Each structure stands twice: as structure tokens, then as C-alpha cells.
Amino acid sequence: MAWSKTAFARNGAPCSSCGGMVQKGAEGWTDASQPRGQRVRCLACGPAETVMPTPPADPVAGSSALRQDKRYRGDNNLKGAQGEYLMGTYLAADLAPGAHVLTDRKVPGDSEANIDHVVVASTGVWIIDSKKWAGEIRYRSPGFPSTDPRKYLTVDGKDRTSDIAKIYRLVIPVAQVIGDTNVPVHPVLAFVEATWGVKEGLHFRRGKGPYEHEGVLISGGHSFIELINATGPLTPDAVESLWRRLDAAMPPH
């Protein structure tokens, strides 16, 4: 609620600022959402300034994974914390002005799951799942050279293609909060400090992507940030409004 000017038709009340009485029939300021004893102010004192609460600071990237590591002492949790932390430093260093980052946030409707990073920029909403996986990473056709249109993600020689779709467990709840299909949503599987295999092509360049697989970008830790920084369809006001909506719906994990 907000302060409103009103006539005290039934009873007077003391001003919470100066202590003087606002008499019956006189005008004053009221706000029923204030604590008891602070809901009335006289005309001379005027309404109290509304102090906006300071939003809680985002945790350092990797904090929730580190908490898991302390509980279970598993190498996977520690590697996860490392990957999330490094990804956070890349975003802090390379994102263009005007973009907003939400770090280590709860998935809407899920008290346990978290999203490593959500970036809101003119190009849309970027949902980033950071990975620090050991072994050589390849995204390529089943044979080489090959005309087969299918592509596979392998890590240390093992087929991990099915892991790509898991990011939609994060994407769909966020899209429901956004509630606007005109807002571009970009899922990213970001491999941080990874060893990449050769890219399919004539020159055998090492390929860190980004590649797109069923709507998901597969990329090295830095490679996709220039796509975030491109000029997109969202205005600065739309970016600000969207960021605040997601901030409210996704508290820090």
C-alpha cells in the first residue's frame, strides 16, 4: 500500500512523526500497511518516505555446489563449484553494459534445483548451465567425414547427447515466469576450461562452438558471450522490467 490523504471522520489520531493530534474531521495521511503506531501523519509532517528494501546480494557463483561438497565431499560437487565460479568471472569481465546477471538462483517451483546463471540482455534471457567435465569434448557426426545429419556430444569418448535435454528442466519453469513467447530464451550448456576435440572441417581447427543442438547452445566458457552482447529486440526498459520479474520469482539458492 501507499500513503493517502484522508479525512478522519470518526476519531482523531496522533501523528507518528511530531506527536500532535490529527483531530476528528481534519485531514491527515494514513497507510494501513505500516506498523501499528506509525500509520498516521499530520498534514504538516506529510507522508513518510517509502524506503525500498535492499535486495539480497547474489551469492558468489558456485556457492550452492560448494555447500554440497562440504556435505558429501564429492569431486563432482567441487568441480561444479569451480566451473560455476569461473563462468561468473567470465560474465563479469565480458558482458556488455546493460545486461543483468542473476547468479545461483532457485528454479521456480523447485526448492532444491538451482540455475547457475541467468543473463537478461537485449538479445533475450540466457539460461546458463556451467559444466566442468573431464575428458575431451566433441560435438560431431557419428563418422568422419560423414553426411549423416545427426550430431552427438561425447565427453571422454562417452555419448552424453541425452544430457543436453536436461537443461529444459530449468528452461521451462523460467519461460513460465516470463509468460511472453516473444521474449527469446536461450539455453546454454557451457563447458568451462574444457579440452575440445577437433572441429569437423577441412582445416581441423579446434572447435569450441557455439553449436546448436535441439535449441540448446553447446559452447566453451567464453565463446557464446559475444552472442549475448549482440543487438537484440528488447528495449532497455523491457530488459529492466524482465530482470526485476525474474529476480522476484527466483530467490538466491
PDB file of all heavy atoms in Angstrom, residues 43-70:
ATOM      1  N   LEU A  43      -0.855  16.706   8.310  1.00  0.00           N
ATOM      2  CA  LEU A  43      -0.597  17.348   7.032  1.00  0.00           C
ATOM      3  C   LEU A  43       0.751  18.063   7.031  1.00  0.00           C
ATOM      4  O   LEU A  43       1.446  18.113   6.017  1.00  0.00           O
ATOM      5  CB  LEU A  43      -1.716  18.334   6.694  1.00  0.00           C
ATOM      6  CG  LEU A  43      -3.069  17.729   6.297  1.00  0.00           C
ATOM      7  CD1 LEU A  43      -4.065  18.848   5.995  1.00  0.00           C
ATOM      8  CD2 LEU A  43      -2.923  16.821   5.086  1.00  0.00           C
ATOM      9  N   ALA A  44       1.123  18.652   8.180  1.00  0.00           N
ATOM     10  CA  ALA A  44       2.383  19.397   8.240  1.00  0.00           C
ATOM     11  C   ALA A  44       3.588  18.480   8.061  1.00  0.00           C
ATOM     12  O   ALA A  44       4.560  18.834   7.386  1.00  0.00           O
ATOM     13  CB  ALA A  44       2.487  20.141   9.577  1.00  0.00           C
ATOM     14  N   CYS A  45       3.536  17.291   8.640  1.00  0.00           N
ATOM     15  CA  CYS A  45       4.669  16.360   8.524  1.00  0.00           C
ATOM     16  C   CYS A  45       4.684  15.662   7.167  1.00  0.00           C
ATOM     17  O   CYS A  45       5.763  15.337   6.645  1.00  0.00           O
ATOM     18  CB  CYS A  45       4.620  15.323   9.641  1.00  0.00           C
ATOM     19  SG  CYS A  45       4.922  16.021  11.287  1.00  0.00           S
ATOM     20  N   GLY A  46       3.495  15.442   6.619  1.00  0.00           N
ATOM     21  CA  GLY A  46       3.425  14.800   5.316  1.00  0.00           C
ATOM     22  C   GLY A  46       3.686  13.301   5.408  1.00  0.00           C
ATOM     23  O   GLY A  46       4.064  12.769   6.459  1.00  0.00           O
ATOM     24  N   PRO A  47       3.480  12.593   4.299  1.00  0.00           N
ATOM     25  CA  PRO A  47       3.670  11.134   4.315  1.00  0.00           C
ATOM     26  C   PRO A  47       5.136  10.771   4.498  1.00  0.00           C
ATOM     27  O   PRO A  47       6.034  11.502   4.073  1.00  0.00           O
ATOM     28  CB  PRO A  47       3.161  10.694   2.937  1.00  0.00           C
ATOM     29  CG  PRO A  47       3.342  11.896   2.073  1.00  0.00           C
ATOM     30  CD  PRO A  47       3.101  13.094   2.966  1.00  0.00           C
ATOM     31  N   ALA A  48       5.365   9.637   5.147  1.00  0.00           N
ATOM     32  CA  ALA A  48       6.738   9.157   5.328  1.00  0.00           C
ATOM     33  C   ALA A  48       7.288   8.693   3.995  1.00  0.00           C
ATOM     34  O   ALA A  48       6.556   8.195   3.141  1.00  0.00           O
ATOM     35  CB  ALA A  48       6.764   8.011   6.340  1.00  0.00           C
ATOM     36  N   GLU A  49       8.578   8.891   3.819  1.00  0.00           N
ATOM     37  CA  GLU A  49       9.215   8.390   2.605  1.00  0.00           C
ATOM     38  C   GLU A  49       9.213   6.874   2.617  1.00  0.00           C
ATOM     39  O   GLU A  49       9.481   6.248   3.635  1.00  0.00           O
ATOM     40  CB  GLU A  49      10.649   8.897   2.501  1.00  0.00           C
ATOM     41  CG  GLU A  49      10.754  10.398   2.294  1.00  0.00           C
ATOM     42  CD  GLU A  49      12.190  10.819   2.118  1.00  0.00           C
ATOM     43  OE1 GLU A  49      13.078   9.941   2.123  1.00  0.00           O
ATOM     44  OE2 GLU A  49      12.425  12.033   1.987  1.00  0.00           O
ATOM     45  N   THR A  50       8.886   6.306   1.483  1.00  0.00           N
ATOM     46  CA  THR A  50       8.919   4.846   1.350  1.00  0.00           C
ATOM     47  C   THR A  50      10.337   4.409   1.084  1.00  0.00           C
ATOM     48  O   THR A  50      10.961   4.834   0.111  1.00  0.00           O
ATOM     49  CB  THR A  50       8.012   4.383   0.197  1.00  0.00           C
ATOM     50  OG1 THR A  50       6.669   4.820   0.466  1.00  0.00           O
ATOM     51  CG2 THR A  50       8.042   2.872   0.060  1.00  0.00           C
ATOM     52  N   VAL A  51      10.843   3.578   1.953  1.00  0.00           N
ATOM     53  CA  VAL A  51      12.204   3.080   1.803  1.00  0.00           C
ATOM     54  C   VAL A  51      12.150   1.705   1.140  1.00  0.00           C
ATOM     55  O   VAL A  51      11.597   0.764   1.699  1.00  0.00           O
ATOM     56  CB  VAL A  51      12.930   2.984   3.161  1.00  0.00           C
ATOM     57  CG1 VAL A  51      14.334   2.442   2.978  1.00  0.00           C
ATOM     58  CG2 VAL A  51      12.950   4.346   3.834  1.00  0.00           C
ATOM     59  N   MET A  52      12.670   1.633  -0.049  1.00  0.00           N
ATOM     60  CA  MET A  52      12.670   0.357  -0.756  1.00  0.00           C
ATOM     61  C   MET A  52      13.672  -0.586  -0.109  1.00  0.00           C
ATOM     62  O   MET A  52      14.814  -0.188   0.161  1.00  0.00           O
ATOM     63  CB  MET A  52      13.045   0.560  -2.220  1.00  0.00           C
ATOM     64  CG  MET A  52      12.053   1.406  -2.989  1.00  0.00           C
ATOM     65  SD  MET A  52      10.416   0.680  -3.038  1.00  0.00           S
ATOM     66  CE  MET A  52      10.739  -0.741  -4.081  1.00  0.00           C
ATOM     67  N   PRO A  53      13.271  -1.827   0.177  1.00  0.00           N
ATOM     68  CA  PRO A  53      14.225  -2.759   0.772  1.00  0.00           C
ATOM     69  C   PRO A  53      15.352  -3.064  -0.195  1.00  0.00           C
ATOM     70  O   PRO A  53      15.170  -3.156  -1.397  1.00  0.00           O
ATOM     71  CB  PRO A  53      13.369  -4.020   1.025  1.00  0.00           C
ATOM     72  CG  PRO A  53      12.226  -3.902   0.066  1.00  0.00           C
ATOM     73  CD  PRO A  53      11.959  -2.436  -0.088  1.00  0.00           C
ATOM     74  N   THR A  54      16.532  -3.202   0.363  1.00  0.00           N
ATOM     75  CA  THR A  54      17.684  -3.542  -0.454  1.00  0.00           C
ATOM     76  C   THR A  54      17.608  -5.017  -0.828  1.00  0.00           C
ATOM     77  O   THR A  54      17.508  -5.871   0.055  1.00  0.00           O
ATOM     78  CB  THR A  54      18.996  -3.297   0.315  1.00  0.00           C
ATOM     79  OG1 THR A  54      19.038  -1.919   0.701  1.00  0.00           O
ATOM     80  CG2 THR A  54      20.208  -3.621  -0.545  1.00  0.00           C
ATOM     81  N   PRO A  55      17.612  -5.338  -2.121  1.00  0.00           N
ATOM     82  CA  PRO A  55      17.533  -6.751  -2.498  1.00  0.00           C
ATOM     83  C   PRO A  55      18.756  -7.500  -2.015  1.00  0.00           C
ATOM     84  O   PRO A  55      19.857  -6.943  -1.962  1.00  0.00           O
ATOM     85  CB  PRO A  55      17.487  -6.705  -4.041  1.00  0.00           C
ATOM     86  CG  PRO A  55      18.075  -5.381  -4.396  1.00  0.00           C
ATOM     87  CD  PRO A  55      17.750  -4.454  -3.274  1.00  0.00           C
ATOM     88  N   PRO A  56      18.576  -8.758  -1.616  1.00  0.00           N
ATOM     89  CA  PRO A  56      19.740  -9.519  -1.162  1.00  0.00           C
ATOM     90  C   PRO A  56      20.734  -9.710  -2.289  1.00  0.00           C
ATOM     91  O   PRO A  56      20.359  -9.882  -3.448  1.00  0.00           O
ATOM     92  CB  PRO A  56      19.126 -10.865  -0.733  1.00  0.00           C
ATOM     93  CG  PRO A  56      17.827 -10.948  -1.486  1.00  0.00           C
ATOM     94  CD  PRO A  56      17.341  -9.547  -1.626  1.00  0.00           C
ATOM     95  N   ALA A  57      21.999  -9.630  -1.944  1.00  0.00           N
ATOM     96  CA  ALA A  57      23.040  -9.805  -2.945  1.00  0.00           C
ATOM     97  C   ALA A  57      23.068 -11.254  -3.421  1.00  0.00           C
ATOM     98  O   ALA A  57      22.800 -12.180  -2.660  1.00  0.00           O
ATOM     99  CB  ALA A  57      24.394  -9.417  -2.371  1.00  0.00           C
ATOM    100  N   ASP A  58      23.361 -11.419  -4.698  1.00  0.00           N
ATOM    101  CA  ASP A  58      23.512 -12.772  -5.220  1.00  0.00           C
ATOM    102  C   ASP A  58      24.677 -13.465  -4.517  1.00  0.00           C
ATOM    103  O   ASP A  58      25.684 -12.824  -4.189  1.00  0.00           O
ATOM    104  CB  ASP A  58      23.802 -12.734  -6.720  1.00  0.00           C
ATOM    105  CG  ASP A  58      22.538 -12.603  -7.544  1.00  0.00           C
ATOM    106  OD1 ASP A  58      21.492 -12.295  -6.952  1.00  0.00           O
ATOM    107  OD2 ASP A  58      22.598 -12.813  -8.760  1.00  0.00           O
ATOM    108  N   PRO A  59      24.558 -14.770  -4.289  1.00  0.00           N
ATOM    109  CA  PRO A  59      25.713 -15.497  -3.761  1.00  0.00           C
ATOM    110  C   PRO A  59      26.825 -15.525  -4.791  1.00  0.00           C
ATOM    111  O   PRO A  59      26.595 -15.327  -5.983  1.00  0.00           O
ATOM    112  CB  PRO A  59      25.157 -16.904  -3.504  1.00  0.00           C
ATOM    113  CG  PRO A  59      23.992 -17.024  -4.440  1.00  0.00           C
ATOM    114  CD  PRO A  59      23.410 -15.647  -4.559  1.00  0.00           C
ATOM    115  N   VAL A  60      28.049 -15.751  -4.328  1.00  0.00           N
ATOM    116  CA  VAL A  60      29.151 -15.950  -5.262  1.00  0.00           C
ATOM    117  C   VAL A  60      28.869 -17.206  -6.060  1.00  0.00           C
ATOM    118  O   VAL A  60      28.399 -18.212  -5.521  1.00  0.00           O
ATOM    119  CB  VAL A  60      30.481 -16.078  -4.490  1.00  0.00           C
ATOM    120  CG1 VAL A  60      31.626 -16.450  -5.423  1.00  0.00           C
ATOM    121  CG2 VAL A  60      30.791 -14.778  -3.769  1.00  0.00           C
ATOM    122  N   ALA A  61      29.123 -17.144  -7.356  1.00  0.00           N
ATOM    123  CA  ALA A  61      28.849 -18.292  -8.217  1.00  0.00           C
ATOM    124  C   ALA A  61      29.551 -19.534  -7.689  1.00  0.00           C
ATOM    125  O   ALA A  61      30.725 -19.499  -7.338  1.00  0.00           O
ATOM    126  CB  ALA A  61      29.313 -17.995  -9.644  1.00  0.00           C
ATOM    127  N   GLY A  62      28.816 -20.639  -7.613  1.00  0.00           N
ATOM    128  CA  GLY A  62      29.368 -21.887  -7.113  1.00  0.00           C
ATOM    129  C   GLY A  62      29.107 -22.136  -5.646  1.00  0.00           C
ATOM    130  O   GLY A  62      29.489 -23.186  -5.111  1.00  0.00           O
ATOM    131  N   SER A  63      28.418 -21.199  -4.977  1.00  0.00           N
ATOM    132  CA  SER A  63      28.213 -21.338  -3.524  1.00  0.00           C
ATOM    133  C   SER A  63      27.402 -22.567  -3.161  1.00  0.00           C
ATOM    134  O   SER A  63      27.740 -23.294  -2.222  1.00  0.00           O
ATOM    135  CB  SER A  63      27.524 -20.077  -2.973  1.00  0.00           C
ATOM    136  OG  SER A  63      28.330 -18.943  -3.138  1.00  0.00           O
ATOM    137  N   SER A  64      26.311 -22.815  -3.895  1.00  0.00           N
ATOM    138  CA  SER A  64      25.476 -23.968  -3.543  1.00  0.00           C
ATOM    139  C   SER A  64      26.203 -25.273  -3.827  1.00  0.00           C
ATOM    140  O   SER A  64      26.071 -26.248  -3.065  1.00  0.00           O
ATOM    141  CB  SER A  64      24.145 -23.924  -4.298  1.00  0.00           C
ATOM    142  OG  SER A  64      24.349 -23.952  -5.695  1.00  0.00           O
ATOM    143  N   ALA A  65      26.983 -25.331  -4.907  1.00  0.00           N
ATOM    144  CA  ALA A  65      27.755 -26.540  -5.192  1.00  0.00           C
ATOM    145  C   ALA A  65      28.815 -26.763  -4.123  1.00  0.00           C
ATOM    146  O   ALA A  65      29.106 -27.903  -3.747  1.00  0.00           O
ATOM    147  CB  ALA A  65      28.408 -26.432  -6.572  1.00  0.00           C
ATOM    148  N   LEU A  66      29.373 -25.688  -3.613  1.00  0.00           N
ATOM    149  CA  LEU A  66      30.370 -25.822  -2.552  1.00  0.00           C
ATOM    150  C   LEU A  66      29.728 -26.321  -1.261  1.00  0.00           C
ATOM    151  O   LEU A  66      30.326 -27.111  -0.524  1.00  0.00           O
ATOM    152  CB  LEU A  66      31.072 -24.484  -2.316  1.00  0.00           C
ATOM    153  CG  LEU A  66      32.309 -24.515  -1.424  1.00  0.00           C
ATOM    154  CD1 LEU A  66      33.384 -25.407  -2.025  1.00  0.00           C
ATOM    155  CD2 LEU A  66      32.862 -23.109  -1.213  1.00  0.00           C
ATOM    156  N   ARG A  67      28.496 -25.901  -0.990  1.00  0.00           N
ATOM    157  CA  ARG A  67      27.790 -26.419   0.189  1.00  0.00           C
ATOM    158  C   ARG A  67      27.560 -27.923   0.054  1.00  0.00           C
ATOM    159  O   ARG A  67      27.684 -28.673   1.020  1.00  0.00           O
ATOM    160  CB  ARG A  67      26.463 -25.687   0.373  1.00  0.00           C
ATOM    161  CG  ARG A  67      26.594 -24.257   0.854  1.00  0.00           C
ATOM    162  CD  ARG A  67      25.271 -23.732   1.392  1.00  0.00           C
ATOM    163  NE  ARG A  67      24.233 -23.704   0.372  1.00  0.00           N
ATOM    164  CZ  ARG A  67      24.008 -22.673  -0.435  1.00  0.00           C
ATOM    165  NH1 ARG A  67      24.763 -21.589  -0.350  1.00  0.00           N
ATOM    166  NH2 ARG A  67      23.032 -22.710  -1.323  1.00  0.00           N
ATOM    167  N   GLN A  68      27.218 -28.355  -1.156  1.00  0.00           N
ATOM    168  CA  GLN A  68      27.062 -29.784  -1.396  1.00  0.00           C
ATOM    169  C   GLN A  68      28.384 -30.514  -1.188  1.00  0.00           C
ATOM    170  O   GLN A  68      28.417 -31.631  -0.651  1.00  0.00           O
ATOM    171  CB  GLN A  68      26.549 -30.026  -2.817  1.00  0.00           C
ATOM    172  CG  GLN A  68      25.108 -29.610  -3.048  1.00  0.00           C
ATOM    173  CD  GLN A  68      24.148 -30.496  -2.284  1.00  0.00           C
ATOM    174  OE1 GLN A  68      23.703 -30.164  -1.173  1.00  0.00           O
ATOM    175  NE2 GLN A  68      23.813 -31.638  -2.857  1.00  0.00           N
ATOM    176  N   ASP A  69      29.465 -29.900  -1.615  1.00  0.00           N
ATOM    177  CA  ASP A  69      30.781 -30.518  -1.438  1.00  0.00           C
ATOM    178  C   ASP A  69      31.111 -30.685   0.042  1.00  0.00           C
ATOM    179  O   ASP A  69      31.674 -31.698   0.453  1.00  0.00           O
ATOM    180  CB  ASP A  69      31.847 -29.657  -2.126  1.00  0.00           C
ATOM    181  CG  ASP A  69      33.257 -30.176  -1.871  1.00  0.00           C
ATOM    182  OD1 ASP A  69      33.583 -31.275  -2.369  1.00  0.00           O
ATOM    183  OD2 ASP A  69      34.019 -29.501  -1.159  1.00  0.00           O
ATOM    184  N   LYS A  70      30.741 -29.694   0.844  1.00  0.00           N
ATOM    185  CA  LYS A  70      31.014 -29.782   2.285  1.00  0.00           C
ATOM    186  C   LYS A  70      30.205 -30.901   2.927  1.00  0.00           C
ATOM    187  O   LYS A  70      30.639 -31.522   3.894  1.00  0.00           O
ATOM    188  CB  LYS A  70      30.695 -28.446   2.947  1.00  0.00           C
ATOM    189  CG  LYS A  70      31.694 -27.345   2.605  1.00  0.00           C
ATOM    190  CD  LYS A  70      31.329 -26.039   3.283  1.00  0.00           C
ATOM    191  CE  LYS A  70      32.352 -24.959   2.967  1.00  0.00           C
ATOM    192  NZ  LYS A  70      31.996 -23.662   3.585  1.00  0.00           N
TER     193      LYS A  70
END
